[in-house]
Amino acid sequence: ELPARARCQHLLDDAGQRELLGPFERLTSPWLPKQNIVTQSDDGVVIMRGTLGDTKVVIAAVEPAFQGGSMGEVGGAKIAGALACALADAENGDPVVPILLLETGGVRLQEANCGLAAIAEIHDMIVALREHGPVIGVITGPVGCFGGMSIAAGLCSELIVTREARLGLNGPQVIEQEAGVDEFDSRDRPMIWSLLGGEQRVATGLAEALVGDDVAAIRDLLARHVTASPKPLARTTDIARFEALLETVDPAEQATAETTRAMFDQTTGAA
């Protein structure tokens, strides 16, 4: 429920917080006014440096209340730039752990190609940074994480979610629009959360940790993850496993939370 700036402030240590490219820089979208859409002076993305315990971190938080947390050229460039700076610091022996607060519907439709290019840069930076240390994603609930930014979430070396969080490449309304209400009813909230919700994503190995929707709990968990060593990320490297999983999918059969978990368990050999 907190806005993006307050989320950053609550997660960082009180001393030494500083916002980069904040609202007084007046970095607004050049495209929204052409479509008679009111801009926001930070383009809906907050970048803040500080510490979490003894660890230097940079937080990039998407504001879900502005354009549904959608990513445009300016906001996407802010995140990609922050990650590029973190990569340069890591290569110079002064690591800064990136934390991405991902409440976003993906690319902003009014800035499609520019937004997609920025998201691709974000993906590139996450992969490069994983060689040096953890890149942590957090999804908590209000909007969820969809579209190209769901790929960014999947690339994070550690992904933390709440039970209320949702994660998927396509959102419920998009699936309903393209495949019909019989395939996915965007008004059926229990069904949506059972398939896309945080608990299900952790159970199927698409997220690492489930945490309560509480600032202190999320901060404590982040404090442990920011000191983790780099490790291979199975969900981005084990291609054969996911190809085998896709072979088990019958598109004519309606997916449920139980059948989805069973498919993932079968491909990993879990009990």
Side-chain angles (χ1 to χ4, degrees), residues 192-265:
I192 291 169
W193 261 265
S194 74
L195 287 170
L196 306 182
E199 188 173 358
Q200 175 77 346
R201 291 316 195 191
V202 171
T204 52
L206 298 178
E208 276 66 48
L210 186 69
V211 65
D213 188 12
D214 176 79
V215 170
I218 295 171
R219 178 184 159 85
D220 289 346
L221 189 56
L222 281 173
R224 296 199 295 271
H225 281 291
V226 295
T227 58
S229 300
K231 63 180 181 180
L233 188 61
R235 63 171 173 266
T236 64
T237 58
D238 196 354
I239 298 172
R241 173 199 164 202
F242 286 100
E243 287 180 339
L245 187 151
L246 287 172
E247 290 295 327
T248 69
V249 175
D250 180 359
E253 184 176 318
Q254 183 71 41
T256 67
E258 291 74 19
T259 58
T260 302
R261 291 192 191 193
M263 281 191 294
F264 277 85
D265 288 345

Side-chain angles (χ1 to χ4, degrees), residues 23-24 28 56 80-81 90 107 135 139 159 167 178 182 258 261:
F24 293 107
T28 62
K56 295 178 182 178
V107 69
V135 181
I139 310 170
L159 185 59
L167 172 65
E178 297 300 319
D182 290 338
E258 291 74 19
R261 291 192 191 193

Side-chain angles (χ1 to χ4, degrees), residues 43-45 62-72 102-108 143-144 146 149:
D43 203 38
V45 170
V62 184
E63 175 53 71
F66 179 64
Q67 293 291 308
S70 58
M71 298 298 302
L102 298 168
E103 298 297 329
T104 170
V107 69
R108 188 174 297 160
V143 171
F146 298 102
M149 291 303 284

Side-chain angles (χ1 to χ4, degrees), residues 2-14:
L2 293 174
R5 189 164 286 103
R7 292 182 181 200
C8 297
Q9 292 167 340
H10 279 74
L11 292 175
L12 291 171
D13 297 335
D14 292 335

